[in-house]
Amino acid sequence: MWNERIYDPEVRIDGDIDAYAAPQLRHRVTDLAGHGTVHIIADLRGTGFLDSAGLGALVGSRNELRTRGGSLTLVAGTGPILQIIRMTGLGDTFAVHSCVREAIAADQHWQAAVISEGISTGE
């Protein structure tokens, strides 16, 4: 089972992203996009397992966000989840970063959001 915490608009996934959890992930991203959040950072550092259904959910979520002019950025740390993303070739499809701060600093939409809130990327 995985737990999700929303840090507007960061999704942190702790646990497995498998055939059971993948539809929940897709639903959550679709729900966020339906409410106007189209630039999302998915923090996968707490994810222990990622199978083909999970990869499909990430790709499907990315495609959904792109149709709305948005993006899905992944934070994968340096562990096995990053290796899976690289082995499948999805490292060329997604922006993948080692930490949330790095993901925010690399994206113009996030930079604009941070500046408008008066927050530094260190926070």
Side-chain angles (χ1 to χ4, degrees):
M1 187 67 183
W2 58 280
N3 296 314
E4 166 188 321
R5 296 183 309 179
I6 303 301
Y7 299 103
D8 189 21
E10 175 195 345
V11 176
R12 179 176 171 90
I13 303 166
D14 296 317
D16 298 340
I17 308 176
D18 54 14
Y20 173 75
Q24 296 173 52
L25 173 60
R26 286 285 307 271
H27 175 76
R28 185 62 184 145
V29 169
T30 300
D31 185 52
L32 286 169
H35 288 94
T37 301
V38 295
H39 297 286
I40 297 174
I41 294 174
D43 186 348
L44 307 177
R45 290 175 296 172
T47 301
F49 177 76
L50 178 63
D51 69 5
S52 61
L55 290 168
L58 291 172
V59 170
S61 295
R62 176 188 170 270
N63 293 343
E64 170 73 21
L65 292 168
R66 287 187 69 176
T67 64
R68 297 171 185 253
S71 62
L72 179 62
T73 300
L74 305 180
V75 173
T78 59
I81 300 303
L82 176 61
Q83 296 302 325
I84 291 169
I85 291 168
R86 286 183 177 160
M87 286 181 356
T88 58
L90 292 177
D92 297 331
T93 302
F94 287 95
V96 183
H97 300 281
S98 61
C99 66
V100 173
R101 182 182 310 160
E102 180 183 295
I104 291 170
D107 186 279
Q108 66 182 0
H109 299 100
W110 280 86
Q111 281 298 307
V114 167
I115 289 167
S116 72
E117 293 292 322
I119 304 169
S120 77
T121 57
E123 295 178 50

